[in-house]
């Protein structure tokens, strides 16, 4: 079964959850939880304890950012494998975890530790939100925007997994994006202050997988102008367009708005990559006026 099919099987038809965060309107709180585990989300021969701790925090904060919220408290479940139970591994991890949480003003309030054959890390965040963004608020005629760029994470994976030779400084940028991506929390705050955001999600599974999720939740179609998709020029010689579009864990913001946004905000590029159209159209990728399809959708969890 695919991840979307598993999620549908877990919930009743009246209560299917399509967002990464849950909003309790009565309490004014927002909740998210995410797990990263050895072999699926990271490899110990690629990432050290400090990098793993940082990634754990950032992928969770990214969910809160995509909802337009502010994270305040954290709960951490720590499944320790034999190779990660020593002081030489645990201390750098703990320092990095506390540092990243503190940088966002998040207080670690509890959790659980247990033995595990492989390293498993689950972080739950609690935050505040006033009318949080969801994936379901988009409307036909609105503009589709993407923060930052796409492709660096996939290139980082190729460098690590296939020993692709890439010169500096793009090599270091690609490795950093893949191993320690950064949530767009400050950018989300600026967007909330200045513009109308109808629907939003963070880019975790790549555009080829995440665009249909946004379209389905908002019950619209999406028309994508491929020449507008921001792929760094230095990446193109080492990455096919299909690979860049399938690049996951970029943690960029993908959102719909009726407003015309500037090209940069909070020093982060903002690119209009398409628009919302009739639902029946689905997600359409256009290149020089012709529709283009892709077979490699990127990494899938199942």
């Amino acid at each position: 079964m695919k991840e979307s099919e598993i999620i549908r099987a877990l919930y009743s038809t009246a209560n299917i959850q399509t967002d990464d965060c849950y909003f309790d309107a009565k309490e004014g709180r927002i909740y998210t939880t995410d797990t990263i585990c050895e072999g699926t989300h990271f490899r110990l021969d690629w990432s050290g304890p400090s990098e793993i701790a940082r990634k754990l925090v950032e992928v969770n904060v990214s969910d809160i950012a995509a909802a337009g919220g502010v994270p305040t408290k954290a709960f951490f479940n720590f499944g320790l494998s034999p190779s990660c139970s020593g002081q030489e591994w645990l201390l750098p991890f703990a320092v990095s975890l506390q540092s990243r949480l503190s940088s966002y003003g998040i207080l670690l309030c509890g959790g659980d530790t247990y033995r595990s054959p492989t390293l498993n890390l689950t972080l739950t965040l609690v935050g505040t939100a006033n009318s949080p963004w969801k994936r379901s608020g988009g409307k036909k005629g609105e503009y589709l925007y993407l923060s930052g760029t796409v492709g660096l994470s996939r290139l980082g994976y190729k460098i690590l997994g296939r020993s692709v030779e890439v010169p500096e400084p793009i090599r270091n940028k690609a490795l950093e994006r893949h191993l320690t991506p950064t949530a767009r929390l400050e950018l989300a705050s600026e967007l909330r202050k200045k513009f109308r955001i109808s629907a939003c999600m963070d880019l975790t599974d790549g555009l080829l997988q995440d665009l249909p999720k946004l379209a389905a939740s908002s019950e619209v179609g999406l028309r994508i102008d491929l020449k507008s998709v921001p792929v760094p020029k230095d990446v193109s010689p080492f990455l096919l367009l299909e690979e860049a579009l399938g690049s996951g864990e970029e943690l960029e913001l993908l959102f719909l708005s009726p407003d015309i946004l500037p090209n940069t905000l909070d020093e982060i590029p903002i690119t209009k990559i398409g628009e919302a159209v009739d639902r029946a159209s689905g997600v359409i990728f256009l290149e020089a006026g012709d529709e283009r399809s892709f077979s490699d959708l990127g990494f899938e969890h199942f």
Side-chain angles (χ1 to χ4, degrees), residues 24 128 155 163 249 264:
D24 190 320
T128 59
L155 180 57
S163 300
E249 295 189 335
T264 60

Side-chain angles (χ1 to χ4, degrees), residues 10-265:
L10 290 172
Y11 295 92
S12 67
T13 55
N15 189 41
I16 292 178
Q17 300 296 312
T18 60
D19 293 286
D20 289 327
C21 294
Y22 172 75
F23 177 60
D24 190 320
K26 185 176 181 180
E27 297 182 354
R29 290 177 182 159
I30 193 167
Y31 302 83
T32 189
T33 187
D34 222 331
T35 297
I36 62 173
C37 65
E38 180 183 347
T40 300
H41 302 96
F42 62 84
R43 286 174 43 170
L44 293 176
D45 56 334
W46 291 358
S47 300
S50 297
E51 293 170 319
I52 293 170
R54 174 169 177 162
K55 186 171 187 178
L56 176 67
V57 174
E58 296 295 342
V59 297
N60 277 274
V61 170
S62 184
D63 288 342
I64 298 287
V70 178
T72 57
K73 295 179 175 63
F75 297 84
F76 175 43
N77 288 349
F78 202 179
L80 277 165
S81 64
S83 62
C84 300
S85 298
Q87 180 174 288
E88 68 282 357
W89 196 96
L90 286 171
L91 289 183
F93 178 91
V95 170
S96 179
L97 181 73
Q98 190 55 250
S99 175
R100 294 312 297 172
L101 290 174
S102 297
S103 72
Y104 289 115
I106 301 170
L107 179 66
L108 183 59
C109 297
D112 192 20
T113 56
Y114 57 94
R115 294 183 183 275
S116 174
T118 58
L119 190 61
N120 283 271
L121 314 168
T122 299
L123 194 68
T124 298
L125 294 184
V126 182
T128 59
N130 181 21
S131 300
W133 301 330
K134 295 187 175 184
R135 299 178 184 179
S136 57
K139 298 178 180 62
K140 177 184 173 182
E142 293 184 330
Y143 305 108
L144 177 66
Y145 292 97
L146 178 68
S147 70
T149 62
V150 293
L152 281 172
S153 180
R154 185 69 174 265
L155 180 57
Y157 177 80
K158 290 183 73 172
I159 292 171
L160 291 166
R162 302 183 192 175
S163 300
V164 176
E165 294 294 330
V166 177
E168 297 292 0
I170 196 66
R171 182 181 188 276
N172 186 60
K173 290 180 180 178
L175 291 173
E176 182 178 1
R177 177 64 67 91
H178 182 70
L179 298 174
T180 55
T182 301
R184 297 297 193 190
L185 189 65
E186 292 183 6
L187 175 62
S189 177
E190 289 299 303
L191 287 169
R192 176 171 282 283
K193 292 175 186 176
K194 300 176 181 179
F195 302 100
R196 295 173 292 172
I197 307 301
S198 303
C200 185
M201 66 183 298
D202 63 334
L203 191 63
T204 55
D205 292 329
L207 284 171
L208 294 177
Q209 293 187 57
D210 286 340
L211 283 167
K213 297 174 188 175
L214 185 65
S217 293
S218 285
E219 298 183 346
V220 296
L222 294 173
R223 182 180 289 127
I224 313 303
D225 180 9
L226 285 174
K227 74 176 185 298
S228 298
V229 176
V231 179
K233 291 181 181 179
D234 293 340
V235 166
S236 300
F238 310 100
L239 210 63
L240 299 173
L241 176 60
E242 190 171 42
E243 292 177 306
L245 295 175
S247 183
E249 295 189 335
E250 297 279 358
L251 302 192
E252 298 293 354
L253 297 178
L254 180 65
F255 58 97
L256 287 163
S257 172
D259 297 334
I260 301 293
L261 270 66
N263 293 330
T264 60
L265 186 65

